[in-house]
Amino acid sequence: MGTRTDSGPSTDYAALRRDPEYAGLNRALLDLVPVGAGPAVLDVGCGDGAVSEQLLLRDPAVSLTGVDPDPALLDAARTRLGHRARFVEGDAAAVAGLFPAGGFDTVVLANCVHLVPDLGEALAAIGRVLAAGGRLVFNSAFYAGAESAADLPLYAELVGAARRTARARGLTPARTATVAGRPPGLRRSAGDYRAALAAAGFTGVERTEREFTLGPGFLTALCSTPMFAAAALPGIERDTAAGLLAEALEQQYERTPFTITRRCVYFSAVRP
């Protein structure tokens, strides 16, 4: 598929960021961010600053702050944007203790809300740092209903093949969680997000969904991210897990070329 190197894939987000389909998902989220409505934007789960960079390109006058729990990704974000943005270590639930109340006009969570373990706690914290009338926007392609039922066997075969290869090489992946035991964020439905926003006091909630296609390049890039590699092959070092997944995907694709259809949900809400 032309996406691997001799040293295997790297478990970061660079390859995913370069994928045009993924870029389209991000553009759809950025379209929800008001331009000129306020100068202060908080990018929660900013990672290496990819969406932060797009926010600055879209509105150079914005005062941008990024927050993420991964110091290495924050270093990459600082390298990417330098003095154009401020970056702080922390997660969504910690923002109320990191920033002043009402200090932001917009809060963005790009492709990461499903990683938030306690959604109610995080939304309450975000509500405290948003100014009155401020807007929260987020998206996710990892929620109950995102997958096409017809494609579920493809996911199962991909992970199963990677696990079989791992065991053949003397590695011991942790037991795969059942659906009921999946991380809370991956079990949430679009309805759960709407209910959580209402419970946290947000109003003007708007929801949209869009379908997208994961071709071989997108899938390989996705398999190389820390989130996917760690979730698919728990108990295996994530670079190794990413390599096993990419190898299984390449073999699977060579047998029967395929694409996967998935949905991404987008939410926009206002703090009264």
Side-chain angles (χ1 to χ4, degrees):
M1 293 187 292
T3 53
R4 295 181 63 198
T5 66
D6 290 341
S7 59
S10 172
T11 46
D12 58 28
Y13 296 93
L16 189 63
R17 186 174 63 244
R18 291 190 294 267
D19 185 270
E21 191 79 34
Y22 183 74
L25 296 181
N26 286 337
R27 281 193 300 272
L29 178 67
L30 295 176
D31 286 344
L32 301 176
V33 178
V35 176
V41 175
L42 177 63
D43 183 5
V44 176
C46 66
D48 64 0
V51 170
S52 297
E53 184 175 33
Q54 294 304 310
L55 286 163
L56 287 165
L57 289 171
R58 190 168 178 269
D59 186 358
V62 74
S63 174
L64 184 68
T65 301
V67 61
D68 196 276
D70 189 326
L73 290 175
L74 288 174
D75 286 343
R78 293 185 184 102
T79 298
R80 175 189 296 279
L81 296 176
H83 66 280
R84 297 166 62 196
R86 174 191 177 206
F87 293 100
V88 179
E89 186 175 343
D91 60 20
V95 297
L98 295 172
F99 307 110
F104 296 98
D105 301 286
T106 304
V107 174
V108 177
L109 288 89
N111 311 299
C112 65
V113 70
H114 47 271
L115 301 177
V116 174
D118 189 327
L119 186 60
E121 181 185 18
L123 290 177
I126 289 168
R128 286 195 287 272
V129 300
L130 266 175
R135 185 169 297 275
L136 165 64
V137 302
F138 63 85
N139 69 331
S140 176
F142 294 91
Y143 62 100
E147 306 98 337
S148 162
D151 289 338
L152 289 175
L154 294 172
Y155 289 107
E157 173 56 25
L158 170 64
V159 175
R163 293 175 69 85
R164 289 192 295 272
T165 300
R167 287 192 291 267
R169 295 176 183 174
L171 301 171
T172 306
R175 187 175 180 179
T176 302
T178 63
V179 172
R182 295 170 74 191
L186 301 185
R187 300 199 306 270
R188 296 180 194 127
S189 67
D192 291 333
Y193 282 116
R194 182 181 289 276
L197 287 166
F202 285 87
T203 61
V205 177
E206 298 179 2
R207 164 191 158 190
T208 58
E209 290 185 74
R210 61 175 288 177
E211 196 171 86
F212 65 101
T213 300
L214 289 82
F218 195 151
L219 280 167
T220 301
L222 179 63
C223 287
S224 297
T225 62
M227 180 199 73
F228 195 95
L233 295 174
I236 294 180
E237 191 274 328
R238 69 189 193 188
D239 285 328
T240 302
L244 290 165
L245 288 164
E247 183 179 335
L249 178 62
E250 186 166 351
Q251 292 170 354
Q252 192 172 346
Y253 186 81
E254 286 174 352
R255 288 195 302 271
T256 307
F258 64 92
T259 58
I260 287 178
T261 300
R262 199 173 181 93
R263 298 184 68 81
C264 187
V265 67
Y266 297 82
F267 277 95
S268 174
V270 176
R271 178 187 177 270

